[in-house]
């Protein structure tokens, strides 16, 4: 393991004013996104969509530090034959790869899931390194049960432990292959739970995660955390203010994440575009923490571009404008320099 090289990549991934584009939707997930714009989920459409993103110059050059790719995408080329890897590198961004193989029910723990993909991971990582990947991503999914459910409430201690253990094993294998691991324990934000409950579960999960990373010999200097923000479930009646979200998220991170970690790149998790930008901005306006706080958004970076595109070549420019805009706004948020006025003005 070359720790200096891993640290260098991790620092570049959270460079000020930049963040990560999560374009690693599996074929099923991209199908759901395409269904929302009545576009067929075939290889040509997936290629055209992602080529449009990777060729958006201002966004890619100025606001995207790295792109998380899916297995199909890291092997794919643009229409003119240029490998996607090269398009990304030419924009000064780092190619990354999703290596988890999705979730399956966790035996013995009804209502909980475990992420698959450890078998054969050493060999897959070696191949992905050859294909140009310098960081990877593994997502664990933690779901909070309904507040009225007392028997079998989730997540259980065992469920958290199983998922964070897998994240630790994945991260150690990545570093052995000189690939920076993004560790993503996502507490889902659907549901009725309160912000207090999300706070409690996020704290337990991150505590367990950093214990696992320590016990499995993972070097934190070469690791990036991709967590959820501390929010209430979407169906909860009492929604916290942006100040409360920012303060609780910073508190949980300070209580659990060692300062050796170079950066925290949040997932958007179903937040509205502007909401995800605004919450990140608020945290950076408050400041006073040892790590860089930035974005690793999928939907919150892509959604407006997807709707502008509608699966049609004639909407290419409109889609690039929309992607540029969201990337620029999130770039500002990563510096604590965003405002709703700038967002509306530049959008217009
Ligand atoms: C982009 O979507 C990623 C892959 O999801 P699937 O394995 O379900 O296809 C996903 O892991 C994503 O990187 C994170 O959830 C963050 O994306 P959002 O949209 O929540 O910012």
């Amino acid at each position: 393991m070359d720790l200096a090289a891993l640290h260098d990549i991790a620092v570049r991934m959270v460079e000020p004013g930049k963040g990560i584009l999560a374009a690693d939707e599996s074929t099923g997930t991209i199908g759901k996104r395409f269904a929302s714009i009545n576009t067929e989920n075939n290889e040509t459409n997936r290629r055209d969509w992602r080529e449009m993103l990777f060729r958006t110059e201002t966004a890619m050059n100025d606001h995207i530090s790295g792109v998380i790719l899916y297995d199909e995408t890291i092997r794919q080329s643009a229409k003119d034959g240029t490998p996607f890897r090269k398009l990304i590198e030419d924009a000064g961004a780092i190619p990354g790869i999703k290596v988890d193989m999705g979730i399956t029910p966790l035996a013995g723990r009804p209502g909980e899931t475990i992420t698959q993909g450890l078998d054969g991971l050493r060999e897959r990582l070696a191949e992905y390194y050859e294909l140009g990947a310098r960081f990877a991503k593994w997502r664990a999914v933690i779901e909070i049960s309904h507040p009225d459910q007392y028997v079998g409430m989730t997540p259980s201690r065992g469920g958290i432990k199983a998922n964070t253990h897998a994240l630790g094993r994945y991260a150690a294998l990545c570093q052995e292959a000189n690939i920076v691991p993004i560790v993503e324990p996502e507490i889902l934000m659907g549901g009725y739970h309160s912000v207090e409950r999300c706070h409690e579960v996020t704290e337990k999960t991150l505590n367990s995660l950093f214990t696992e990373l320590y016990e499995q010999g993972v070097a934190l200097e070469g690791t990036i955390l991709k967590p959820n923000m501390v929010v209430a479930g979407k169906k909860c009646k009492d929604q916290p203010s942006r100040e409360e979200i920012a303060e609780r998220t910073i508190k949980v991170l300070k209580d659990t994440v060692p300062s050796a970690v170079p950066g925290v790149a949040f997932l958007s998790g179903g937040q509205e575009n502007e909401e995800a930008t605004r919450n990140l901005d608020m945290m950076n306006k408050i400041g006073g923490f040892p790590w860089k706080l930035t974005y690793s958004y999928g939907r919150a970076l892509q959604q407006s571009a997807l709707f502008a595109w509608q699966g049609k070549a004639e909407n290419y420019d409109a889609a690039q404008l929309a992607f540029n805009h969201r990337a620029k706004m999130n770039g500002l948020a990563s510096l604590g320099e965003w405002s709703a006025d700038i967002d509306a003005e530049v959008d217009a």
Side-chain angles (χ1 to χ4, degrees), residues 43 69-78 81-85 97 123-124 127-128 131:
E43 195 183 337
L69 302 168
Y70 182 55
D71 184 74
E72 173 184 87
T73 327
I74 200 168
R75 303 170 193 279
Q76 220 165 17
S77 294
T82 313
F84 278 160
R85 167 204 174 161
I97 180 76
E123 293 73 25
R124 289 197 291 128
E127 189 197 2
Y128 286 138
L131 289 169

Side-chain angles (χ1 to χ4, degrees), residues 193-210:
H193 57 269
S194 63
V195 69
E196 290 85 1
R197 179 80 175 123
C198 179
H199 187 134
E200 181 193 0
V201 172
T202 305
E203 183 182 295
K204 281 187 178 149
T205 303
L206 293 180
N207 243 317
S208 175
L209 173 64
F210 282 97

Side-chain angles (χ1 to χ4, degrees), residues 14-306:
V14 293
E15 192 184 325
K18 292 189 177 186
I20 297 163
L21 168 64
D24 58 314
E25 297 86 355
S26 52
T27 308
T29 302
I30 197 82
K32 287 186 206 153
R33 308 279 182 265
F34 283 1
S36 70
I37 55 163
N38 291 319
T39 294
E40 193 185 329
N41 184 14
N42 59 40
E43 195 183 337
T44 306
N45 286 337
R46 291 195 292 274
R47 180 202 65 193
D48 290 350
W49 164 244
R50 286 167 172 148
E51 177 170 352
M52 182 282 297
L53 292 173
F54 305 156
R55 284 195 192 275
T56 304
E57 275 183 23
T58 311
M60 292 296 297
N61 292 337
D62 299 347
H63 307 297
I64 300 298
S65 58
V67 183
I68 316 175
L69 302 168
Y70 182 55
D71 184 74
E72 173 184 87
T73 327
I74 200 168
R75 303 170 193 279
Q76 220 165 17
S77 294
K79 205 171 183 177
D80 68 1
T82 313
F84 278 160
R85 167 204 174 161
K86 186 166 178 344
L87 281 187
I88 292 166
E89 288 171 345
D90 287 352
I94 310 166
I97 180 76
K98 178 240 281 302
V99 299
D100 69 70
M101 300 186 83
I103 55 175
T104 191
L106 178 61
R109 294 282 164 205
E112 296 186 73
T113 59
I114 184 74
T115 304
Q116 312 176 97
L118 287 172
D119 288 351
L121 182 56
R122 176 175 276 134
E123 293 73 25
R124 289 197 291 128
L125 286 166
E127 189 197 2
Y128 286 138
Y129 189 92
E130 289 307 312
L131 289 169
R134 291 296 174 268
F135 69 92
K137 191 199 84 175
W138 178 286
R139 173 170 169 257
V141 178
I142 310 281
E143 188 162 5
I144 299 177
S145 54
H146 193 283
D148 294 344
Q149 184 174 343
Y150 292 106
V151 177
M153 62 194 271
T154 68
S156 66
R157 199 169 152 209
I160 291 175
K161 191 162 173 44
N163 274 290
T164 54
H165 180 80
L167 277 163
R169 289 195 51 204
Y170 139 83
L173 282 161
C174 283
Q175 292 192 334
E176 181 189 87
N178 288 318
I179 288 180
V180 170
I182 294 183
V183 286
E184 180 183 4
E186 175 174 5
I187 319 297
L188 297 179
M189 63 178 279
Y192 292 86
H193 57 269
S194 63
V195 69
E196 290 85 1
R197 179 80 175 123
C198 179
H199 187 134
E200 181 193 0
V201 172
T202 305
E203 183 182 295
K204 281 187 178 149
T205 303
L206 293 180
N207 243 317
S208 175
L209 173 64
F210 282 97
T211 304
E212 288 289 346
L213 295 181
Y214 175 72
E215 288 179 355
Q216 296 183 57
V218 176
L220 298 183
E221 295 87 339
T223 302
I224 297 292
L225 173 67
K226 175 165 174 169
N228 53 284
M229 296 178 195
V230 176
V231 294
K234 276 210 155 180
K235 294 180 199 150
C236 177
K237 281 201 301 293
D238 299 321
Q239 289 293 326
S241 66
R242 78 175 81 173
E243 288 80 8
E244 184 173 2
I245 292 171
E247 281 160 11
R248 282 186 181 276
T249 306
I250 291 171
K251 167 133 183 63
V252 167
L253 294 175
K254 279 189 173 174
D255 285 345
T256 57
V257 183
S259 57
V261 174
V264 174
F266 291 100
L267 58 93
S268 56
Q271 296 184 49
E272 297 301 326
N273 296 341
E274 198 174 309
E275 196 185 357
T277 307
R278 175 199 87 183
N279 289 337
L280 174 64
D281 178 68
M282 181 55 66
M283 284 184 251
N284 280 310
K285 279 190 167 63
I286 295 171
F289 31 75
W291 347 262
K292 296 277 183 299
L293 291 195
T294 190
Y295 47 95
S296 174
Y297 294 161
R299 284 163 287 180
L301 270 173
Q302 296 183 48
Q303 210 158 32
S304 51
L306 188 73

Side-chain angles (χ1 to χ4, degrees), residues 289-347:
F289 31 75
W291 347 262
K292 296 277 183 299
L293 291 195
T294 190
Y295 47 95
S296 174
Y297 294 161
R299 284 163 287 180
L301 270 173
Q302 296 183 48
Q303 210 158 32
S304 51
L306 188 73
F307 282 107
W309 180 56
Q310 291 291 320
K312 298 191 174 97
E314 64 264 32
N315 294 333
Y316 195 95
D317 292 351
Q320 288 199 323
L321 268 179
F323 178 44
N324 256 334
H325 178 61
R326 283 288 17 112
K328 183 168 184 193
M329 292 305 105
N330 285 303
L332 288 172
S334 76
L335 302 168
E337 292 174 4
W338 173 87
S339 75
D341 289 346
I342 300 179
D343 206 321
E345 198 180 309
V346 182
D347 207 11

